[in-house]
Amino acid sequence: MATNPILVIGAGPVGLAAALDLAQRGQSVEVLDAGHSVSDGSRAICWAKRTLEIFHRLGLELVPSGITWQRGRVFKGARDLYQFDLQPGGLQQQPAFINLAQADVERALLDQLAGLGVPVRRGHTVVGVAPRDNGVSLEVETADGQLTLDTPWLLACDGARSTIRRCLGLPFKGKVFEDRFLIADVRMAADYPTERWFWFDPPFHPGQSALLHRQPNNIWRIDLQLGWDADPDHERQPAQILPRLHQMLGDRAFELVWASVYTFQCRRIERFAHGRVLFAGDSAHQVSPFGARGANSGIQDIDNLVWKLDRVIRGASPETLLASYDLERIEAADDNIGHSTRSTDFIAPKGPWAQALRGAVLDLAATHAFARPMVNSGRLSQASVYRASPLSSADTGFAAGPKPGMAIPDAPLGDRWLISSLGAGASLVRFGATLPAPDLTGIDVPADSVAWTRFDATPGTAYLVRPDGYVAARSRTPTPDWLATATARAMGASQ
Amino acid sequence: MSGLITTPNLANPDALYAELVAMAGDLSAEEALNRAARLILLLANHIGDPAVVSHAIQLAVAADQAD
């Protein structure tokens, strides 16, 4: 019997990355999208190191086309409060961040998918979803009429307004922030350094906040806080936008490329795995943009999900392995929502006490280092930590290095890099250990590598690393029994 | 217990009280609140131990019901 392909709904970065990861693992997959082209406007622009590592695994090299950055600067009024560096240690293959328009990321993913012959069907609008035993039936409207499609697995990557979520009646619960923000992309020749600049109460936009980010091709992203009383329809008019930008940019010539007015929400669905329907990205969880935790967390969802789904479909792991996707990525979503909520609460303090406290932190931060870690203009996306993962084994005797449930740090291994040396399956990273690694990718770390410090390794140490680059187990005295037990657990064997 | 001292611990309570009044005595409520918030942050950082600060927050909140 021919098996129907896995269907991915949504051709944004998350859906396209899911399809690419599945296809590269040999799965039959198709993408359906209601729209007719790549996304317009800039939307997501900041791609974090963890995302770039995942894209690299998928064969995408975006760094040359993006703007690489790792430093930020925070201003209060006209005063330069302090600077920060997201990657002071260096010696990693990928930079802390690149800025690149979402549409360019989508085009790069589409090129890879085309090379593998994966169909991306646009103008396909899902209008009905019926879960059944071992699969899902979909009603899809196209220009040529309505289709019924059956699939064994449905990946709902159809964004914050997910049709799949609505069809299944899943509540999307959380908090609306009572504030409005103007997001604009302008084209201008400017020689500002390639840094993230954030202003509290800037002279050009008093009483509110502002953010400036550089993108490729002389495009600059500007976020201006407008307050809850701002009328979004009025604020969207160029006649209203241009004077605000002139206030900020002075006499410099610029062209308004794209703009919109947003209200931000932090919310998620209760569970991401619903039998054969799996939610990932904004369809499952939504955050404010401060911290770049939207698209970056969606790509991490895919990195977590696809190796598990591939093993389940191949019969190498029980279907219960997918429960760990739910558990781990819900923990990640809650972490992202917590960070995003705290950032938004700091950027837009509500009530006299929150405003006084925020003011006090900013007043002290210029001269007193202790107050700077409290300044919150967005806590930028990093690899999530899975503190309660059922796939992790307990460890003992380590004072530092990545714990089970944490993504491994990168490090140079002679003329290659540790993360890009990981296998498609699990890997065993050995520090002078002689333990054989049957059915795993064995990686021996040379004696002079900075990886020894980064992993708190002593001679004989070994790390078992999952296909998504997360530590499953580690030991200073690894044995074949330890490895067999930890590998079985990491691959979802019932305990 | 958190280690928060709630028994008399000041050599000269009148002098400290006067100094605190003088810190913001001629300011509006909003300006005084800002200054008080800075003082709280400086002292909280000096204390460092989150259990001590949390205990003090609890006692400050609980004093609402003290009448």
Side-chain angles (χ1 to χ4, degrees):
Chain A
M1 188 187 92
T3 311
N4 290 317
I6 302 165
L7 291 182
V8 175
I9 310 302
V14 176
L16 295 175
L20 183 56
D21 204 348
L22 283 163
Q24 287 181 352
R25 292 178 190 274
Q27 297 294 339
S28 167
V29 57
E30 296 186 8
V31 181
L32 309 183
D33 191 86
H36 294 276
S37 68
V38 294
S39 68
D40 59 350
S42 278
R43 298 195 173 202
I45 58 163
C46 297
W47 307 91
K49 178 166 75 81
R50 182 68 201 138
T51 300
L52 298 174
E53 289 164 357
I54 296 165
F55 282 156
H56 178 81
R57 174 171 69 74
L58 297 174
L60 268 67
E61 297 301 343
L62 299 177
V63 174
S65 30
I67 294 284
T68 295
W69 64 277
Q70 67 186 65
R71 291 195 182 84
R73 205 178 278 269
V74 177
F75 302 85
K76 165 76 196 313
R79 194 171 182 188
D80 186 346
L81 274 191
Y82 70 97
Q83 302 151 44
F84 60 85
D85 186 338
L86 295 168
Q87 196 146 299
L91 290 179
Q92 306 175 84
Q93 187 175 18
Q94 302 297 334
F97 271 94
I98 67 164
N99 289 349
L100 184 64
Q102 178 172 329
D104 290 329
V105 174
E106 291 173 9
R107 284 188 199 98
L109 287 161
L110 287 165
D111 282 350
Q112 294 283 320
L113 287 165
L116 292 171
V118 175
V120 178
R121 303 187 197 286
R122 302 212 181 254
H124 279 55
T125 306
V126 175
V127 293
V129 182
R132 49 175 177 71
D133 282 354
N134 300 321
V136 185
S137 282
L138 282 184
E139 294 298 317
V140 180
E141 273 180 8
T142 74
D144 302 325
Q146 190 151 331
L147 307 172
T148 301
L149 299 175
D150 287 327
T151 181
W153 296 94
L154 182 70
L155 268 59
C157 307
D158 52 345
R161 296 189 189 92
S162 169
T163 304
I164 310 291
R165 191 184 65 226
R166 201 171 58 240
C167 287
L168 294 181
L170 302 173
F172 202 31
K173 286 189 211 158
K175 180 177 170 187
V176 180
F177 293 101
E178 295 192 345
D179 210 323
R180 300 189 200 282
F181 291 83
L182 169 69
I183 316 282
D185 283 347
V186 302
R187 182 177 286 116
M188 64 177 175
D191 52 1
Y192 305 129
T194 305
E195 298 175 336
R196 177 189 196 262
W197 282 9
F198 193 99
W199 289 262
F200 294 100
D201 191 20
F204 54 81
H205 192 50
Q208 307 284 4
S209 68
L211 177 64
L212 179 69
H213 257 303
R214 184 178 185 177
Q215 300 181 65
N217 306 317
N218 289 328
I219 305 284
W220 297 76
R221 163 67 55 89
I222 293 167
D223 291 17
L224 293 177
Q225 184 186 12
L226 300 177
W228 184 233
D229 296 334
D231 172 2
D233 291 329
H234 180 60
E235 294 293 343
R236 262 184 214 110
Q237 306 303 320
Q240 183 68 10
I241 295 171
L242 292 172
R244 290 197 186 283
L245 297 177
H246 279 297
Q247 285 285 317
M248 179 173 184
L249 303 171
D251 297 335
R252 197 180 292 278
F254 67 87
E255 176 199 347
L256 180 62
V257 177
W258 171 86
S260 195
V261 175
Y262 289 97
T263 295
F264 300 130
Q265 310 203 33
C266 283
R267 51 185 178 170
R268 70 166 170 89
I269 49 177
E270 194 180 347
R271 288 183 299 115
F272 300 170
H274 291 259
R276 295 301 184 96
V277 184
L278 302 161
F279 288 84
D282 283 0
S283 70
H285 45 75
Q286 200 182 359
V287 292
S288 79
F290 302 104
R293 291 169 178 271
N296 286 301
S297 68
I299 300 299
Q300 286 189 43
D301 286 347
I302 295 312
D303 191 42
N304 185 293
L305 173 61
V306 169
W307 70 268
K308 296 173 181 174
L309 182 56
D310 173 63
R311 286 188 63 91
V312 167
I313 293 171
R314 287 192 288 109
S317 288
E319 200 163 324
T320 52
L321 177 60
L322 295 174
S324 71
Y325 167 68
D326 217 26
L327 200 137
E328 292 176 345
R329 293 311 298 172
I330 283 173
E331 182 180 3
D334 285 346
D335 204 42
N336 285 319
I337 288 171
H339 276 294
S340 176
T341 301
R342 290 188 293 273
S343 297
T344 313
D345 286 345
F346 192 90
I347 290 164
K350 290 290 174 277
W353 174 233
Q355 282 177 19
L357 212 46
R358 206 272 303 259
V361 168
L362 293 173
D363 292 341
L364 292 168
T367 37
H368 301 290
F370 87 86
R372 289 174 200 157
M374 287 187 192
V375 176
N376 192 341
S377 69
R379 301 275 181 246
L380 289 154
S381 173
Q382 296 179 315
S384 296
V385 178
Y386 309 140
R387 292 167 193 84
S389 174
L391 310 186
S392 292
S393 298
D395 64 333
T396 54
F398 289 86
K403 297 175 189 171
M406 294 172 73
I408 62 165
D410 204 4
L413 302 181
D415 57 357
R416 48 194 196 130
W417 295 92
L418 174 56
I419 288 179
S420 53
S421 304
L422 295 174
S427 301
L428 186 68
V429 180
R430 292 176 293 219
F431 295 84
T434 51
L435 185 68
D439 305 322
L440 304 175
T441 300
I443 298 169
D444 291 299
V445 177
D448 59 351
S449 173
V450 69
W452 284 74
T453 314
R454 291 186 178 168
F455 284 76
D456 187 26
T458 47
T461 294
Y463 276 71
L464 174 64
V465 181
R466 305 173 3 172
D468 54 10
Y470 274 72
V471 175
R474 59 180 178 171
S475 174
R476 294 206 185 280
T477 54
T479 63
D481 276 354
W482 166 82
L483 182 59
T485 306
T487 306
R489 185 190 300 268
M491 297 299 132
S494 42
Q495 301 296 316
Chain B
M1 282 313 292
S2 69
L4 180 74
I5 298 167
T6 57
T7 52
N9 193 38
L10 296 167
N12 191 342
D14 286 351
L16 181 75
Y17 187 84
E19 197 176 355
L20 288 170
V21 169
M23 178 184 91
D26 55 350
L27 300 184
S28 71
E30 187 182 336
E31 290 167 328
L33 195 60
N34 285 337
R35 215 170 265 186
R38 282 180 226 146
L39 180 68
I40 290 171
L41 292 170
L42 284 159
L43 294 175
N45 183 65
H46 176 81
I47 293 164
D49 182 345
V52 173
V53 178
S54 294
H55 191 192
I57 290 171
Q58 279 171 32
L59 296 186
V61 171
D64 283 351
Q65 328 304 329
D67 272 351

